[in-house]
Amino acid sequence: MPELLTVTDVSAGACCTPLVREPLSAEEAEQLAVTMKALADPARLRLLSIVAASENTEACVCDLIEPVGLSQPTVSHHLKILTAAGFLTRSKRGTWAYYALVPGALDRVSKLLVAS
Amino acid sequence: MPELLTVTDVSAGACCTPLVREPLSAEEAEQLAVTMKALADPARLRLLSIVAASENTEACVCDLIEPVGLSQPTVSHHLKILTAAGFLTRSKRGTWAYYALVPGALDRVSKLLVAS
């Protein structure tokens, strides 16, 4: 049935712009939006930035409280969100927790925005 | 006054992790959070993804409505937010508006997360 196939193609492909690769599915977009929400906060961006600027891209939680000017529970809350979103990993050594950057955690978004 | 300087350094530098570069300032983080909020929405991520996957990373608004399953005013609203955040540029040709990807719009975030 070539006519039917042609009709289907036109309705799916719309009027003008051909796609050169597969866009995000609805499910992928939902997941990625959750990840982006973790970044859409000034305190979390500063915390992530301090970790990224630290030697070996790792920082003790004790070094993160003063620069952002928030209480330790608030800082811990933000760090938990960043860890759950896959931007940081947490390890405990002695008294303190250390947070390390996960390299390439933003790759999914970068790839989305870079022309292939 | 070397004593005073030493005390200042210790209080600013905290206990353990030296910084190897300058982290985001509070103002930079505020601005970047606004940009990230534009991305933290499934419909906007899908729209951006379809533009990025289109030939020449440009798409007619007429091609963006059906794939995301939203009304034209809603799609236009999301496209306006993405344009204001610097991810898309808009140009009108004939009846339709075309949206083109701004390459490197996510560079600020990528640089933040990539170890230098």
Side-chain angles (χ1 to χ4, degrees), chain B residues 47-116:
Chain B
L47 289 167
L48 202 56
S49 159
I50 295 165
V51 174
S54 298
E55 207 169 55
N56 302 321
T57 63
E58 188 185 60
C60 174
V61 68
C62 58
D63 286 328
L64 296 170
I65 294 158
E66 192 190 306
V68 292
L70 299 169
S71 70
Q72 182 162 355
T74 304
V75 167
S76 292
H77 167 75
H78 285 312
L79 290 170
K80 193 175 267 186
I81 291 172
L82 287 169
T83 304
F87 292 109
L88 296 176
T89 52
R90 180 185 189 275
S91 57
K92 204 156 183 201
R93 297 201 292 275
T95 315
W96 296 107
Y98 290 76
Y99 288 87
L101 193 71
V102 177
L106 207 74
D107 274 4
R108 281 185 299 171
V109 189
S110 298
K111 278 179 192 150
L112 162 73
L113 294 175
V114 171
S116 63

Side-chain angles (χ1 to χ4, degrees), chain A:
Chain A
M1 299 185 292
E3 292 84 357
L4 186 58
L5 279 172
T6 307
V7 169
T8 310
D9 285 348
V10 168
S11 85
C15 69
C16 24
T17 325
L19 291 182
V20 292
R21 56 194 173 100
E22 196 65 31
L24 284 181
S25 71
E27 273 173 41
E28 287 168 333
E30 288 283 350
Q31 286 171 10
L32 194 52
V34 172
T35 308
M36 290 295 95
K37 279 196 182 93
L39 284 187
D41 177 278
R44 291 199 286 275
L45 284 169
R46 288 194 77 196
L47 288 167
L48 203 56
S49 159
I50 295 166
V51 173
S54 299
E55 206 170 56
N56 302 318
T57 63
E58 187 185 61
C60 174
V61 68
C62 58
D63 286 326
L64 296 170
I65 294 158
E66 192 190 307
V68 292
L70 298 168
S71 70
Q72 181 161 357
T74 303
V75 168
S76 292
H77 167 75
H78 286 311
L79 290 170
K80 194 176 266 186
I81 291 172
L82 287 169
T83 305
F87 293 109
L88 296 175
T89 52
R90 179 186 189 275
S91 57
K92 203 155 183 201
R93 297 201 292 276
T95 314
W96 296 106
Y98 289 76
Y99 288 87
L101 193 72
V102 177
L106 207 75
D107 275 4
R108 281 184 300 171
V109 188
S110 298
K111 277 178 192 152
L112 161 74
L113 295 176
V114 171
S116 64

